[in-house]
Amino acid sequence: GFGVDDFTIMENPSCIDPTDLTVADITQTTASVTWTANNGETAWEYQVVAGGATPAETGDATSDNPLALTGLTANTTYDVYVRANCDVDGTSEWVTASFTTSCEVASGAWSNDFDTNDDCWLVSNGGDANTWVLYDDSANGGGVASYAITYGSTAHDDYLISPAFTVTDEVTDRMSFDARNQSTSFLESIDVQIWNADISVLLETVATGVTPSTAYETFTYDLSAYEGQDIRFAFYISTTDQFRIYIDNVVVDGLLLGLEDFNTSSNFTYFPNPVNNVLSIKAQASIDSITVYNMLGQTVVRSTPNTTTTAVDMSGLQTGAYFVQVAINNSIETVRVIKN
């Protein structure tokens, strides 16, 4: 036969939980919280705690829905708790949602080698299932963590997007990065783009088809046209790649930092200026490196002589002005040279 035992009738809770708890309009220090009231109530309690922290038994009273949160810390994860206050019927259970505030806009020189995580870099994947991920490339001259695009048999549509920063004359008006390809059999290329800070407008594609060799190369670009603006740059790939292309050691600094008049260089001498083919450089100590930039901030010649006397071959460069940056004993000086 059929029998029923221990039958219990449960009453509906007299104070129903809010639903559809949502956090929107998130900035570095603020956010807006909304929810659906299911009791016709106009009073609630809320609390905001660090992500994963245990909430208190009671919260702060509010009659606001939406509820504005202020005084938050940039690039931080929070949990927000809300419950209904039904007066004589008590309170509902807590409902919760998590969110992370936006990153600060960098205002000075900065760099990333990706060996320590930086949550302010963004990845946008619009193509196949593979996208920019971190790999250990220390065996090939990169870092323990270098961003690379993964293998894909269909076309990529992927962006690796920098943190937002303010371009300041002679402080953050240059961007450089190291890149290499995994294989000479399938040389992949990337585009370098400039976006506004909220990534809604593509301002410029400063380089297309950047194709490094299998050894890391440094690529440098002038950002001075965006002085006073908050921007981001992005590494974009749209090809169907067969091997990886690696990005590492991203630096934002000043194109003209350390610029010296050619008559006042203290650590070395150089001649002739203007130069036709070869620029001679002599120093009292061993020269660690020499980098020649064109007026776009792109590296056109680089050497590591490790001698006190060296010659820089500029014969293949076009006529015009160049910046020659010389590193000696952790001191860097830059001089302006005219190529005939």
Side-chain angles (χ1 to χ4, degrees):
F2 178 77
V4 176
D5 194 11
D6 295 331
F7 183 78
T8 303
I9 297 176
M10 302 293 292
E11 293 184 8
N12 287 329
S14 55
C15 191
I16 304 173
D17 300 347
T19 54
D20 302 321
L21 183 63
T22 303
V23 185
D25 299 328
I26 301 169
T27 71
Q28 299 169 36
T29 58
T30 64
S32 177
V33 184
T34 59
W35 58 88
T36 299
N38 293 307
N39 295 280
E41 78 278 5
T42 58
W44 301 270
E45 289 182 19
Y46 78 96
Q47 53 184 305
V48 180
V49 300
T54 302
E57 292 185 6
T58 60
D60 297 322
T62 184
S63 58
D64 295 338
N65 181 12
L67 171 66
L69 303 181
T70 61
L72 306 175
T73 301
N75 193 28
T76 302
T77 298
Y78 292 96
D79 297 331
V80 58
Y81 289 81
V82 175
R83 69 180 179 184
N85 185 341
C86 300
D87 198 18
V88 295
D89 290 328
T91 58
S92 72
E93 296 298 319
W94 290 107
V95 294
T96 185
S98 297
F99 66 98
T100 301
T101 51
S102 303
C103 294
E104 293 180 331
V105 177
S107 59
W110 56 272
S111 64
N112 279 129
D113 61 8
F114 304 122
D115 290 354
T116 55
N117 188 36
D118 189 331
D119 293 333
C120 295
W121 283 82
L122 303 175
V123 170
S124 175
N125 181 22
D128 62 12
N130 297 302
T131 188
W132 291 98
V133 293
L134 290 169
Y135 287 89
D136 185 345
D137 200 36
S138 56
N140 299 290
V144 173
S146 302
Y147 265 107
I149 196 75
T150 55
Y151 169 83
S153 58
T154 57
H156 288 294
D157 184 21
D158 300 326
Y159 297 82
L160 173 61
I161 306 168
S162 79
F165 63 97
T166 304
V167 179
T168 306
D169 183 32
E170 299 187 10
V171 177
T172 53
D173 59 1
R174 176 179 67 171
M175 181 272 286
S176 65
F177 63 93
D178 296 342
R180 81 172 188 93
N181 260 293
Q182 184 177 1
S183 171
T184 55
S185 299
F186 300 96
L187 290 175
E188 303 302 334
S189 63
I190 56 175
D191 295 348
V192 182
Q193 302 175 339
I194 304 296
W195 289 77
N196 65 343
D198 63 7
I199 326 175
S200 62
V201 178
L202 173 60
L203 301 175
E204 181 185 3
T205 298
V206 295
T208 59
V210 176
T211 309
S213 66
T214 53
Y216 276 99
E217 299 179 51
T218 301
F219 299 87
T220 306
Y221 300 95
D222 182 8
L223 305 176
S224 59
Y226 300 97
E227 182 180 345
Q229 298 183 46
D230 294 342
I231 66 169
R232 300 175 188 255
F233 54 84
F235 304 111
Y236 173 67
I237 188 167
S238 59
T239 60
T240 302
D241 74 312
Q242 303 298 315
F243 288 91
R244 295 175 186 149
I245 184 170
Y246 292 86
I247 302 290
D248 205 356
N249 299 323
V250 176
V251 178
V252 172
D253 61 6
L255 178 63
L256 303 181
L257 284 179
L259 181 63
E260 302 285 348
D261 182 85
F262 67 86
N263 289 321
T264 61
S265 175
S266 57
N267 290 336
F268 61 92
T269 59
Y270 60 100
F271 58 90
N273 188 19
V275 60
N276 291 322
N277 295 304
V278 176
L279 180 71
S280 297
I281 298 179
K282 293 183 179 181
Q284 297 297 317
S286 179
I287 302 170
D288 299 319
S289 67
I290 298 173
T291 307
V292 181
Y293 300 101
N294 63 19
M295 295 303 289
L296 294 176
Q298 299 167 325
T299 301
V300 293
V301 177
R302 181 174 174 82
S303 65
T304 54
N306 294 316
T307 61
T308 58
T309 302
T310 189
V312 181
D313 184 4
M314 301 180 66
S315 61
L317 302 182
Q318 296 179 353
T319 300
Y322 294 85
F323 295 113
V324 180
Q325 186 181 82
V326 181
I328 302 172
N329 291 336
N330 296 319
S331 176
I332 297 177
E333 293 187 29
T334 308
V335 293
R336 187 171 184 268
V337 173
I338 303 300
K339 169 64 168 62
N340 286 333

Coordinates of all heavy atoms in Angstrom, one line a residue, residues 22-27 29-35 46-48 60-72 80 82 99:
T22 N 22.4 43.2 -9.0 CA 23.3 43.5 -10.1 C 24.2 44.7 -9.7 O 23.7 45.7 -9.1 CB 22.5 43.9 -11.4 OG1 21.7 42.8 -11.7 CG2 23.5 44.2 -12.5
V23 N 25.5 44.6 -10.1 CA 26.4 45.7 -9.9 C 26.8 46.3 -11.3 O 27.2 45.5 -12.2 CB 27.7 45.3 -9.1 CG1 28.6 46.5 -8.8 CG2 27.3 44.6 -7.8
A24 N 26.7 47.6 -11.5 CA 27.0 48.2 -12.8 C 27.7 49.5 -12.6 O 27.9 50.0 -11.4 CB 25.7 48.4 -13.5
D25 N 28.0 50.2 -13.7 CA 28.7 51.5 -13.7 C 29.9 51.5 -12.7 O 30.0 52.4 -11.9 CB 27.7 52.6 -13.3 CG 26.5 52.7 -14.2 OD1 26.7 52.4 -15.4 OD2 25.4 53.0 -13.8
I26 N 30.7 50.5 -12.9 CA 31.8 50.3 -12.0 C 33.0 51.2 -12.4 O 33.4 51.2 -13.6 CB 32.3 48.8 -12.0 CG1 31.2 47.9 -11.5 CG2 33.5 48.7 -11.1 CD1 31.4 46.5 -11.7
T27 N 33.5 52.0 -11.5 CA 34.7 52.8 -11.8 C 35.8 52.4 -10.8 O 35.8 51.4 -10.2 CB 34.4 54.3 -11.6 OG1 34.2 54.6 -10.2 CG2 33.1 54.7 -12.4
T29 N 36.5 53.9 -8.0 CA 36.2 54.1 -6.6 C 34.7 54.0 -6.4 O 34.2 54.2 -5.2 CB 36.7 55.5 -6.1 OG1 36.1 56.5 -7.0 CG2 38.2 55.5 -6.2
T30 N 33.8 53.8 -7.4 CA 32.4 53.8 -7.2 C 31.7 52.6 -8.0 O 32.3 52.0 -8.9 CB 31.8 55.1 -7.7 OG1 32.0 55.2 -9.1 CG2 32.4 56.3 -7.0
A31 N 30.5 52.4 -7.6 CA 29.7 51.4 -8.3 C 28.2 51.6 -8.0 O 27.9 52.3 -7.0 CB 30.1 49.9 -8.0
S32 N 27.3 51.1 -8.8 CA 25.9 51.2 -8.6 C 25.3 49.8 -8.4 O 25.5 48.9 -9.3 CB 25.2 51.9 -9.7 OG 23.8 52.0 -9.6
V33 N 24.5 49.6 -7.4 CA 23.9 48.3 -7.1 C 22.4 48.4 -7.2 O 21.8 49.3 -6.7 CB 24.3 47.8 -5.6 CG1 23.7 46.4 -5.4 CG2 25.8 47.9 -5.4
T34 N 21.8 47.5 -7.9 CA 20.3 47.4 -8.1 C 19.8 46.0 -7.8 O 20.6 45.0 -7.9 CB 19.9 47.8 -9.5 OG1 20.5 46.9 -10.4 CG2 20.3 49.2 -9.8
W35 N 18.5 45.9 -7.4 CA 17.9 44.6 -7.2 C 16.4 44.8 -7.3 O 15.9 45.9 -7.4 CB 18.3 44.1 -5.8 CG 17.8 45.1 -4.7 CD1 16.6 45.1 -4.0 CD2 18.6 46.1 -4.1 NE1 16.6 46.1 -3.1 CE2 17.9 46.8 -3.1 CE3 19.9 46.6 -4.3 CZ2 18.3 47.8 -2.4 CZ3 20.4 47.7 -3.6 CH2 19.6 48.3 -2.6
Y46 N 22.5 46.6 3.7 CA 23.6 46.2 2.8 C 24.9 46.3 3.5 O 25.1 47.0 4.5 CB 23.6 47.1 1.6 CG 24.2 48.5 1.8 CD1 25.6 48.7 1.5 CD2 23.5 49.5 2.4 CE1 26.2 49.9 1.7 CE2 24.1 50.8 2.6 CZ 25.4 50.9 2.3 OH 26.1 52.1 2.5
Q47 N 25.9 45.6 3.0 CA 27.3 45.7 3.4 C 28.2 45.3 2.3 O 27.8 44.5 1.4 CB 27.5 44.9 4.6 CG 27.1 43.4 4.5 CD 27.3 42.7 5.9 OE1 28.4 42.7 6.4 NE2 26.3 42.0 6.4
V48 N 29.3 45.9 2.3 CA 30.4 45.7 1.2 C 31.6 45.2 1.9 O 32.1 45.9 2.8 CB 30.7 46.9 0.4 CG1 31.7 46.6 -0.7 CG2 29.4 47.5 -0.3
D60 N 24.3 48.1 7.0 CA 23.8 49.5 7.0 C 22.4 49.6 6.4 O 22.2 49.0 5.4 CB 24.8 50.4 6.3 CG 26.2 50.4 6.9 OD1 26.2 50.4 8.2 OD2 27.2 50.4 6.2
A61 N 21.6 50.4 7.0 CA 20.2 50.6 6.5 C 20.3 51.5 5.3 O 21.1 52.5 5.2 CB 19.3 51.2 7.6
T62 N 19.4 51.2 4.3 CA 19.2 52.1 3.2 C 17.8 52.0 2.6 O 17.2 51.0 2.8 CB 20.2 51.8 2.1 OG1 20.1 52.7 1.0 CG2 20.0 50.4 1.5
S63 N 17.4 53.1 2.0 CA 16.1 53.1 1.3 C 16.3 53.3 -0.2 O 15.4 53.5 -1.0 CB 15.2 54.1 1.8 OG 15.8 55.4 1.8
D64 N 17.6 53.3 -0.6 CA 18.0 53.6 -2.0 C 18.1 52.3 -2.8 O 18.7 51.3 -2.4 CB 19.4 54.3 -2.0 CG 19.4 55.7 -1.4 OD1 18.3 56.2 -1.3 OD2 20.4 56.1 -1.0
N65 N 17.4 52.3 -3.9 CA 17.6 51.3 -4.9 C 17.3 51.9 -6.3 O 16.1 52.2 -6.6 CB 16.6 50.1 -4.7 CG 16.7 49.0 -5.7 OD1 17.6 49.0 -6.5 ND2 15.7 48.1 -5.7
P66 N 18.3 52.3 -7.1 CA 19.7 51.8 -7.0 C 20.5 52.4 -5.8 O 20.1 53.5 -5.3 CB 20.4 52.4 -8.3 CG 19.2 52.6 -9.2 CD 18.1 53.0 -8.3
L67 N 21.5 51.7 -5.4 CA 22.3 52.1 -4.2 C 23.7 52.5 -4.8 O 24.4 51.7 -5.5 CB 22.5 51.0 -3.2 CG 23.5 51.1 -2.1 CD1 23.0 52.3 -1.2 CD2 23.6 49.8 -1.3
A68 N 24.2 53.7 -4.4 CA 25.5 54.2 -4.9 C 26.6 53.8 -3.9 O 26.5 54.1 -2.7 CB 25.5 55.7 -5.1
L69 N 27.6 53.1 -4.3 CA 28.7 52.7 -3.5 C 29.9 53.7 -3.8 O 30.2 53.9 -5.0 CB 29.2 51.3 -3.7 CG 28.1 50.2 -3.5 CD1 28.8 48.8 -3.8 CD2 27.5 50.3 -2.1
T70 N 30.5 54.2 -2.8 CA 31.6 55.2 -3.0 C 32.8 54.8 -2.1 O 32.6 53.9 -1.2 CB 31.2 56.6 -2.7 OG1 30.7 56.7 -1.3 CG2 30.0 57.1 -3.6
G71 N 33.9 55.5 -2.3 CA 35.1 55.3 -1.4 C 35.7 53.9 -1.6 O 36.5 53.4 -0.7
L72 N 35.5 53.3 -2.7 CA 36.2 52.0 -3.0 C 37.6 52.2 -3.5 O 38.0 53.3 -3.8 CB 35.4 51.2 -4.1 CG 33.9 51.1 -3.8 CD1 33.2 50.4 -5.0 CD2 33.7 50.2 -2.5
V80 N 29.2 42.4 -2.3 CA 28.2 43.3 -1.8 C 27.0 42.4 -1.4 O 26.6 41.4 -2.1 CB 27.7 44.3 -2.8 CG1 27.2 43.7 -4.1 CG2 26.6 45.2 -2.2
V82 N 23.0 42.3 0.3 CA 21.7 43.0 0.4 C 20.7 42.1 1.0 O 20.6 40.9 0.6 CB 21.3 43.6 -0.9 CG1 19.9 44.3 -0.7 CG2 22.3 44.6 -1.5
F99 N 32.1 41.9 -7.5 CA 32.6 42.8 -8.6 C 34.0 43.3 -8.3 O 34.5 43.2 -7.2 CB 31.6 44.0 -8.7 CG 31.6 45.0 -7.6 CD1 32.4 46.1 -7.6 CD2 30.9 44.7 -6.4 CE1 32.4 47.0 -6.5 CE2 30.9 45.6 -5.3 CZ 31.7 46.8 -5.4

